[in-house]
């Protein structure tokens, strides 16, 4: 259930608005591959239902999603930006 995301063509940033596949009841945990390439999960776009847009901009950031059969719902988000 753990998947690492990267930007298309190693761009500096990219948006994710739809996750293909999944079965009702599935839990998915996403992180980013590289701190210098930011992935933003877009709330209310495609099949994502989040507490607002969520940016994974540090390799230790993560988001946990639950699939209800139609939408991926945010369960928890962890912003672990090094400071």
């Amino acid at each position: 259930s753990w998947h690492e995301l990267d930007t298309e063509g190693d761009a500096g940033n990219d948006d994710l608005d739809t996750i293909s596949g999944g079965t009702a009841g599935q839990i998915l945990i996403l992180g980013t591959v590289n701190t210098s390439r930011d992935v933003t999960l877009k709330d209310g776009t495609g099949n994502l239902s989040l507490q607002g847009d969520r940016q994974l901009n540090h390799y230790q950031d993560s988001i946990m999603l639950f699939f209800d059969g139609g939408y991926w719902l945010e369960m928890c988000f962890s912003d672990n930006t090094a400071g």
Side-chain angles (χ1 to χ4, degrees), residues 3-70:
H3 291 274
E4 291 180 312
L5 302 174
D6 203 352
T7 58
E8 187 173 355
D10 293 338
N13 55 59
D14 205 352
D15 292 342
L16 174 66
D17 55 27
T18 300
I19 299 174
S20 299
T23 56
Q26 183 176 353
I27 293 176
L28 179 63
I29 303 169
L30 301 174
T32 186
V33 170
N34 191 310
T35 297
S36 64
R37 297 191 297 267
D38 303 343
V39 177
T40 301
L41 285 77
K42 302 299 284 182
D43 176 44
T45 306
N47 66 351
L48 301 180
S49 182
L50 313 172
Q51 296 293 313
D53 291 353
R54 296 296 196 181
Q55 187 177 54
L56 302 174
N57 60 2
H58 189 269
Y59 74 95
Q60 292 178 332
D61 291 350
S62 62
I63 187 166
M64 181 183 294
L65 305 171
F66 172 81
F67 191 59
D68 71 356

